[in-house]
Amino acid sequence: EAGVTQFPSHSVIEKGQTVTLRCDPISGHDNLYWYRRVMGKEIKFLLHFVKESKQDESGMPNNRFLAERTGGTYSTLKVQPAELEDSGVYFCASSRGSDSYEQYFGPGTRLTVT
Amino acid sequence: AQSVAQPEDQVNVAEGNPLTVKCTYSVSGNPYLFWYVQYPNRGLQFLLKYITGDNLVKGSYGFEAEFNKSQTSFHLKKPSALVSDSALYFCAVRPYYGNNRLAFGKGNQVVVIP
């Protein structure tokens, strides 16, 4: 089965611009997660979808970040307007269930804001 | 809130020697514990998990980890390291009940010396 895919792999934008990241989870996985790793720091949770519903968005840093999962399939994470501190690697993960099931991660999108 | 500590930035080991990567955690109630590995330019790859039952958990590529409740630790081990094990290793925890947010340690770079 295909793994979690993310697009683009790398994005370089200027401060104030908008960027949209996309994640395609493993087919059949209802749970989708976004995480972020800022350089040299821990990977931090951003939010969790169950199908198309936001189950937990406690990790979203501020209202410049908007995540959607229309139809419960792929998800997008939009940053508008981007700030320098938004630079980092954004990981998407998916899991079949929400209990003990491990989360499978995509390769990440490296975002650089200049 | 859950958290993980991985005390060493880098672990150097000679090929063929035992490899240990340390992890301690903090969580409310019982934990779900995970180890992930990240190879260069790749996403996080699931290695193993502890849910319940035997404290010694076996995973992919000959890795195992031992859950120690009294010491709140979940150290990753491999009896004989390979050069191909050189990668970044992350420990993660989430509570048995409640949220599905994974809390990650900052990661340990493992370097296996030929």
Side-chain angles (χ1 to χ4, degrees):
Chain A
E1 91 191 330
V4 176
T5 58
Q6 293 186 245
F7 182 83
S9 58
H10 195 178
S11 179
V12 181
I13 61 172
E14 293 183 352
K15 176 181 173 181
Q17 289 185 323
T18 297
V19 63
T20 300
L21 313 181
R22 174 171 169 145
C23 168
D24 287 78
I26 294 172
S27 178
H29 283 194
D30 287 339
N31 292 268
L32 187 148
Y33 308 82
W34 284 98
Y35 291 84
R36 176 175 72 171
R37 188 182 191 208
V38 173
M39 183 64 71
K41 298 196 174 182
E42 294 89 348
I43 299 170
K44 294 285 193 183
F45 168 84
L46 295 178
L47 89 159
H48 170 208
F49 283 101
V50 177
K51 297 184 180 179
E52 67 275 9
S53 299
K54 293 177 184 175
Q55 182 79 10
D56 180 356
E57 50 184 328
S58 62
M60 293 288 265
N62 51 61
N63 59 10
R64 296 185 294 103
F65 289 75
L66 176 62
E68 294 179 323
R69 193 183 182 197
T70 306
T73 55
Y74 71 91
S75 174
T76 57
L77 180 65
K78 181 191 288 188
V79 185
Q80 179 182 29
E83 297 288 345
L84 297 179
E85 63 265 24
D86 300 333
S87 296
V89 180
Y90 290 76
F91 291 104
C92 176
S94 71
S95 68
R96 186 175 302 277
S98 58
D99 292 333
S100 63
Y101 293 96
E102 57 273 18
Q103 297 175 21
Y104 293 93
F105 282 75
T109 293
R110 180 174 295 280
L111 175 64
T112 303
V113 183
T114 62
Chain B
Q2 53 263 38
S3 66
V4 167
Q6 293 182 246
E8 300 161 313
D9 287 335
Q10 182 164 311
V11 176
N12 295 322
V13 61
E15 185 176 23
N17 281 5
L19 168 64
T20 298
V21 187
K22 295 180 180 178
C23 168
T24 57
Y25 68 89
S26 173
V27 71
S28 178
N30 292 324
Y32 285 157
L33 291 155
F34 305 85
W35 275 100
Y36 287 85
V37 59
Q38 185 178 24
Y39 297 100
N41 301 314
R42 303 286 294 275
L44 278 73
Q45 184 174 333
F46 169 75
L47 271 182
L48 52 77
K49 65 182 178 184
Y50 171 81
I51 303 300
T52 187
D54 287 342
N55 290 340
L56 185 64
V57 178
K58 294 188 183 297
S60 307
Y61 312 121
F63 283 94
E64 58 188 30
E66 186 165 12
F67 170 61
N68 187 316
K69 187 172 184 177
S70 64
Q71 297 185 2
T72 62
S73 67
F74 189 56
H75 301 330
L76 181 70
K77 300 179 181 182
K78 186 171 183 180
S80 179
L82 301 173
V83 172
S84 57
D85 293 328
S86 297
L88 191 55
Y89 291 79
F90 292 94
C91 180
V93 68
R94 54 158 286 206
Y96 197 90
Y97 293 111
N99 68 74
N100 291 355
R101 301 190 291 268
L102 287 178
F104 285 87
K106 60 180 172 58
N108 285 126
Q109 183 67 50
V110 169
V111 178
V112 181
I113 304 162

